[in-house]
Structure formats: C-alpha cells, structure tokens
Amino acid sequence: MTDKSASMNLPTGNFDFPVLEGTVGPEVVDIRKLYARSGMFTYDPGFTSTASCESAITYIDGEKGVLLHRGYPIDQLAEHSTFMEVAYLLLRGELPTQQELDEFTYTISRHTMVHEQLAVFFRGFRRDAHPMAVLCGVVGALSAFYHDSTDITDPEQRMIASHRLIAKMPTLVAMAFKYSLGQPFMYPLNELSFTGNFLRMTFGVPAEPYEVNPIIENAMRRIFILHADHEQNASTSTVRLAGSSGANPFACIAAGIACLWGPAHGGANEAALNMLREIGDVKRIPEYIARAKDKNDPFRLMGFGHRVYKNFDPRAKVMKATADEVLKELNISDPVLDVAKELEHIALNDEYFIEKKLYPNVDFYSGIILNAIGFPTDMFTALFALARTVGWVAQWNEMIADPEQKIGRPRQLYVGHTRREYVPVNQRG
Ligand code: SDX
C-alpha cells in the first residue's frame, strides 16, 4: 500500500482509489471497490492493463527484456542451475542448500512412476492422437487415481499433489510419445537426473541399455528451465482461475495444458517450426514477411511477438545460442536454422516489426533444437507443458495460500438484446 491514491472522475461521481506498489514494476490502482461504489466496471479484454493477483514468483520487465525467477535472472539460471533446483526455487522461494536440493530431488524421484491402470487408459486413444490431446485427458484423469492428494485445504496434500504433478509429467509425456510410436512404455530410472530420466523414457527401449548424451541432456535442461514459469500468462491464469473455484490440482493443471495448446501460446513452437519448414528457403522469406504485414491475411510470423516483451525475449537469446551449440555439437546442419536466422534479421530491420515491437520469442528457436534432438513437432508443446507444470504448480500453491484470493468471476459489457417476450414458433416470420 502507498499513501498515494488515484482519483477517477466518472459519470456516476468522483472517486479516489488506493495505489498499491510492489517491490519493482508498475504500481497498481486498487479498483476492487469500483463497482460497489460507482456502479461501473472497467473494460480490459485480454487483461492488457490488469493485474489479476499479487505474486512473488516471477517478474518480467517487457521494455528491458528482464525475466527474474524469485529475483534470479533467467540467463544465470539457464547457465548454472538444474531443473530440479529451479523447481525448488519457484515452489519454495529460495535457492536450496545442497541438502535441501538432495532431499527435494529424492522426494520428486519417489513419485515418477504412474498407476499401472494409466497405461490401460492410454490404450483408449488412437495411436495418431495429438500428444496434447492425450495429456489433457491423462493429466485430468490423475484426480481419479490420487484421491489422497486432492483436498486443497490440507497443505500436506497440496504439497504431495505438487510433487506428483512435477514428477509424473515427464513419465506421461514420454508415454504419449511411446504410444504414438507403438513402442513399449519405459519405466523411470531414478538414478538418472530429472532430464536424463525423461530422455531415457522417451528415446530408450527395453531391448538395450540407453546412454544419456550429455550434450542433449544439457540442452533439455536449459529448455526446461527457460519454459518453467512466466508470470500470469494465459495458461497460468487458466490454472489460477480453475483453482479459484476449489478444483483439485490435477484438474487445474489439465486446464492449463488445454490453454497452452493454443498456437498463440504454447502451440507456437510447433507452429513456428512448421512455418520455417514451409518457408524452406531464404529466398521465400520476403513473401512471408509481406503476408505477416498484410492486414487482410490472418498469417502471423509464429514465434514472433509477445504481449509483454517489447524489446526482446531474454529466453529467445539463450535459445538461439543453444540452437547453435547443439547443432554444432551434434554435427547437424539444418537449413531451417539458416532460414530462422535470416528471417529474424530481415524482420528486425523491417519498419513494420520495429514499429510494432515484434521480436523472436521463446518459441522461435526452440523447435529447431527439439527437432535436432529427435522430437517430432507435435511433441513440442507437450515438452513446454512438462516444464511449465513447475510454474503452474508454484502459482497454484501461491494462489491457494493467498488470504485475498476468492473465486475469479469477471463481469462484462453487455451488448445483447434487452428484455423481449417469447414468440411461439407458429408466430415467427
Ligand atoms: C508464448 O504470455 C506469455 O508469457 C506467453 C509465453 C509464456 O512463456 O507463457 O511467453 C509463451 O505464448 C509466447 C508467444 C507465442 N506466440 C506466438 O509466437 C504466436 C505469434 N505471435 C502473436 O500471435 C502475438 O504476438 C502474441 C499473441 C504473442 C501477442 O499478441 P498481443 O500482445 O495480443 O499483440 P497483438 O496481437 O495485439 O499484436 C499487436 C500488433 C497487431 O497489429 P495491429 O492490430 O496493431 O495492426 O502486432 C501484430 C498484430 O497484428 N502482430 C504480428 C505478430 N504478432 C503481433 N504481426 C505479425 N506476426 C506476428 N507474430
């Protein structure tokens, strides 16, 4: 709270509202009592100017390209941390001591297996089902298997459900991949790192030992860290809204997965690589740039633009460097990377993109790395969901523990008919 206030001169009167300030970032006008006092709503579709909650987890400065997780810069975490350490940081608020990290990692590793009946559940899907469709179903179904951690009023159950979700997502994502191939599911091997365990479940087969490639393990570690959390983005807001009704955490994360799937959000990594492949050659880039600028063409450059970042997405910088490193270390030359770099160069020097502040986002380069590692494009968003589960769970816990939180229930500007009387069908013209 500050001693500042905001005066609003409205058709229904003049009102003062308190101004609240955080530790950093824009101050907010507290309009919680606006409707009760003035009889008016604010109008902000897409919530471009609306703070939906207080949070201490992630801070983004879109103008400066800043992304902090509990105060730590994303580039330092991507360089020095592990996904388990970032998960601990997001959930608990501090970097763990070695002992705390070991205990947390052990706890998570104890939840990596899923109920055997879930393997039967998978068999209900077509083999060619999109992995995100499978994940929406299977993660929502977890609440049918883990009744002992669905009471959200019990902090102990909340923490167990949080650990289960973080631990089981890699297993379920790997199962979705194996199911699409017709290969047997691989059980977790907990002596491996979180990322190594996932890679073995994904690319290993029961017929032979699987050696985790450290280059790929390191690339996936970075990719998971870069996708872990991102303030109140669409899918996180979905998880919070679902959680505000008291829905169990498995149902809330399933809702987040459904929202993330959209091509304007987490589905952009799949769409971006498909777009780069469709362009195929640097000579065709101008044609697509023109389409992206054409108001009458719904085409957008996938992997470009962001609601918050208006200079650069710090994650895209790390992702671009990782793409270079991984392709070089794996000795892969992918012409799509050349198309991506040339497209970025042309776009960043084009008036339209400069004026609209459009830059590559986290999804622009990630697909190139994932493709080089061997993932099919329809797995990309599932990998995003695997990593973002940590952020969703941390944000969900923060919301449930927030004494100010209540069920989310936005209002509207009604533009439909006023009252009119029913007309029997034989009198309608
Ligand atoms: C993610 O919110 C998050 O934090 C999300 C995320 C996370 O970690 O959770 O960062 C992950 O979702 C990244 C974004 C992935 N999506 C894409 O790459 C899809 C392509 N990008 C766009 O659809 C768009 O940029 C959004 C959805 C990302 C942001 O849209 P906004 O903020 O609502 O901006 P807008 O749609 O109002 O666009 C502003 C202008 C428009 O032109 P005008 O109407 O003003 O004339 O910029 C244009 C848009 O037409 N524009 C683009 C464009 N993105 C915006 N034009 C061409 N290509 C694009 N990619």
Side-chain angles (χ1 to χ4, degrees), residues 398-410:
E398 184 180 63
M399 179 210 61
I400 297 286
D402 180 351
E404 303 265 314
Q405 84 92 14
K406 51 174 56 174
I407 187 166
R409 201 324 188 167

Side-chain angles (χ1 to χ4, degrees), residues 119-229:
V120 177
F121 190 94
F122 269 83
R123 305 223 185 286
F125 292 101
R126 286 170 45 141
R127 291 280 179 176
D128 61 353
H130 194 290
M132 286 299 279
V134 172
L135 279 183
C136 285
V138 172
V139 173
L142 291 178
S143 46
F145 288 88
Y146 299 106
H147 298 285
D148 61 340
S149 61
T150 51
D151 174 358
I152 63 158
T153 62
D154 177 351
E156 186 58 30
Q157 289 196 33
R158 291 205 300 268
M159 201 37 75
I160 293 172
S162 302
H163 292 159
R164 279 174 164 157
L165 281 158
I166 293 169
K168 295 181 193 309
M169 275 302 276
T171 308
L172 295 171
V173 170
M175 288 172 78
F177 179 59
K178 286 304 195 188
Y179 187 70
S180 72
L181 298 178
Q183 287 187 0
F185 299 136
M186 293 286 285
Y187 288 117
L189 185 59
N190 291 330
E191 67 195 40
L192 298 172
S193 71
F194 177 91
T195 308
N197 207 354
F198 170 67
L199 288 169
R200 180 179 167 278
M201 288 189 283
T202 304
F203 296 116
V205 289
E208 53 199 46
Y210 178 82
E211 201 62 35
V212 177
N213 177 325
I215 298 166
I216 294 176
E217 185 178 23
N218 187 46
M220 286 311 297
R221 173 193 64 80
R222 274 197 216 169
I223 287 174
F224 285 159
I225 289 173
L226 291 173
H227 286 84
D229 190 56

Side-chain angles (χ1 to χ4, degrees), residues 48 60 226-227 229-236 260 262-269 272 292-293 295 299-310 313 315 352-353 356 358 361-364 384 388:
T48 312
I60 301 173
L226 291 173
H227 286 84
D229 190 56
H230 212 240
E231 198 208 68
Q232 304 312 317
N233 58 85
S235 52
T236 297
L260 186 75
H265 190 15
N269 52 15
K293 292 155 65 171
K295 278 268 144 274
F299 172 80
R300 287 195 166 178
L301 282 187
M302 302 316 283
F304 257 76
H306 200 277
R307 170 62 56 78
V308 177
Y309 291 122
K310 298 305 176 191
D313 181 337
R315 303 168 297 175
Y352 173 89
F353 293 89
K356 301 226 184 270
L358 302 173
N361 58 47
V362 68
D363 296 308
F364 188 63
F384 193 151
R388 187 52 58 90

Side-chain angles (χ1 to χ4, degrees), residues 31 44 55 65 69 92 115 124 129 136 182 281 312-313 352 417 427 429:
I31 56 161
D44 185 16
S55 180
H69 288 319
R92 306 280 171 79
H115 192 294
C136 285
D281 185 310
F312 62 92
D313 181 337
Y352 173 89
H417 285 285
Q427 293 172 32

